[in-house]
Amino acid sequence: MLGDVLGRAGRKIAKKIIPQFKQSLDIDFVTINGENLAGGFGITSKIYDEMKLSGVDAFTMGNHWRDKSDVHLIRQQHKDLVLPQNLNGISGVEYAPEFHLPHRNKTINIINLMGNFAMKEEYKNPFEFLQKEKEHFISKVKSGSNIVIADIHAEASSEKQAMAWYYDGILAALIGTHTHTPTSDERLTENGTAFLTDVGMTGPYDSVIGMNKTRVLTKFINPSVKLPHEVAENDLWLCGFLVEVSPQTNLSLACHRIQCRGVDEENWLISSIV
């Protein structure tokens, strides 16, 4: 999974490196958090098609999920755009979608939940969904054919970590997103759940969480000045999380934080797998 892929800069590095990863590391399934793909705000049909061609198998979303109206058309036409299951007033999002891997005889279930702390909108309590569905996912994993992974899009580290422990031994992986700031606490629990508090952003780090730093600084220093956000362009990083899943237990055997820092067009090589 790649963390929040932001704007044209993030798409550029992702489209270059995803095919390298899939081929060199024999990866079966690639997900990205796609809520920032279109100029930092939402996703469009054109960008969806562009990223699919690069090898993305599924898209999770977050608080910017509806910033572009195309999202509704994409949802109607494709089953691989996953909206958070705890959105209010949106039908059809309350189930974790399934993705079949016939060559592995496995099915991947994707949980995507919004945290509640420090969000501008109110969402249903994510723990209510997890509590309601816990036995369901336990039976899925024990059936032998289902792997369950989660993208928790939340501001608070505590929410993400609490969810990881609540579903310890059920999830193959819980990957935190939203802050655009990678953490270095990747771990594999004794019960086989791989976990990372925040995978970070794939995009420009010569910025303030991906946006032009001069404009952001101006807004902080003088709040009365209204400047539109502008995606930055320089110091590209790719941030991801690689998980190795046991075909016997459907839980994880190993996990690796991925950071390709300071990538430019002359140096697209994979630079760091921790």
Side-chain angles (χ1 to χ4, degrees), residues 69-82:
S69 60
D70 282 17
V71 70
H72 300 291
L73 180 62
I74 298 169
R75 281 190 69 212
Q76 290 174 7
Q77 295 180 340
H78 306 282
K79 302 301 183 185
D80 50 13
L81 181 68
V82 184

Side-chain angles (χ1 to χ4, degrees), residues 148 163-175 186-196 241 243 250-255:
V148 185
M163 291 184 208
W165 290 120
Y166 188 49
Y167 263 45
D168 186 22
I170 303 170
L171 296 173
L174 184 145
I175 305 139
E186 70 280 359
R187 70 191 84 173
L188 181 65
T189 70
E190 291 183 2
N191 293 320
T193 293
F195 170 61
L196 181 62
F241 198 45
V243 179
N250 297 321
L251 297 168
S252 290
L253 297 167
C255 62

Side-chain angles (χ1 to χ4, degrees), residues 20 28 31 58 67 72 79 96 106 113 140 164 169 190 222 241:
Q20 290 186 32
D28 291 302
T31 70
D67 284 5
H72 300 291
K79 302 301 183 185
K106 295 290 182 183
L113 292 172
K140 285 280 190 183
E190 291 183 2
N222 190 349
F241 198 45

Side-chain angles (χ1 to χ4, degrees), residues 22 26-30 57 99-108 147 247:
K22 292 193 89 166
D26 191 27
I27 292 174
D28 291 302
F29 195 80
V30 172
D57 297 296
F99 299 84
H100 301 289
L101 301 178
H103 63 296
R104 297 290 190 191
N105 195 27
K106 295 290 182 183
T107 296
I108 295 177
I147 297 163

Side-chain angles (χ1 to χ4, degrees), residues 95-222:
Y95 304 103
E98 296 187 340
F99 299 84
H100 301 289
L101 301 178
H103 63 296
R104 297 290 190 191
N105 195 27
K106 295 290 182 183
T107 296
I108 295 177
N109 294 80
I110 297 183
I111 296 172
N112 185 194
L113 292 172
M114 293 294 308
N116 273 327
F117 176 77
M119 291 294 183
K120 291 183 178 179
E121 294 186 30
E122 288 189 4
Y123 304 97
K124 297 176 185 176
N125 185 342
F127 284 92
E128 289 182 2
F129 173 86
L130 293 174
Q131 185 177 28
K132 176 184 174 184
E133 299 294 331
K134 192 170 188 178
E135 292 303 320
H136 169 73
F137 287 122
I138 289 173
S139 65
K140 285 280 190 183
V141 173
K142 288 185 175 180
S143 73
S145 60
N146 286 68
I147 297 163
V148 185
I149 62 174
D151 171 0
I152 306 302
H153 199 78
E155 186 76 28
S157 299
S158 56
E159 278 190 294
K160 302 173 194 179
Q161 293 179 11
M163 291 184 208
W165 290 120
Y166 188 49
Y167 263 45
D168 186 22
I170 303 170
L171 296 173
L174 184 145
I175 305 139
T177 59
H178 180 61
T179 70
H180 293 203
T181 305
T183 58
S184 58
D185 62 331
E186 70 280 359
R187 70 191 84 173
L188 181 65
T189 70
E190 291 183 2
N191 293 320
T193 293
F195 170 61
L196 181 62
T197 297
D198 203 293
V199 67
M201 173 185 69
T202 293
Y205 277 72
D206 182 24
S207 68
V208 176
I209 60 170
M211 296 298 168
N212 180 291
K213 58 182 185 285
T214 301
R215 291 187 174 217
V216 175
L217 280 169
T218 299
K219 293 175 72 174
F220 275 119
I221 294 166
N222 190 349

Side-chain angles (χ1 to χ4, degrees), residues 1-6 9-21 25 30-32 51 182 199-205 235-242 257-264 267-273:
M1 178 177 176
L2 299 187
D4 307 51
V5 181
L6 194 138
R11 300 197 310 269
K12 182 166 70 171
I13 181 175
K15 288 189 295 182
K16 277 286 186 179
I17 293 184
I18 287 172
Q20 290 186 32
F21 273 131
L25 300 176
V30 172
T31 70
I32 67 171
M51 298 308 298
V199 67
M201 173 185 69
T202 293
Y205 277 72
D235 191 18
L236 302 185
W237 295 19
L238 178 141
C239 290
F241 198 45
L242 176 64
R257 174 168 47 91
I258 299 168
Q259 288 185 5
C260 304
R261 298 188 179 194
V263 184
D264 57 42
N267 179 29
W268 289 110
L269 299 177
I270 299 169
S271 58
S272 179
I273 299 179

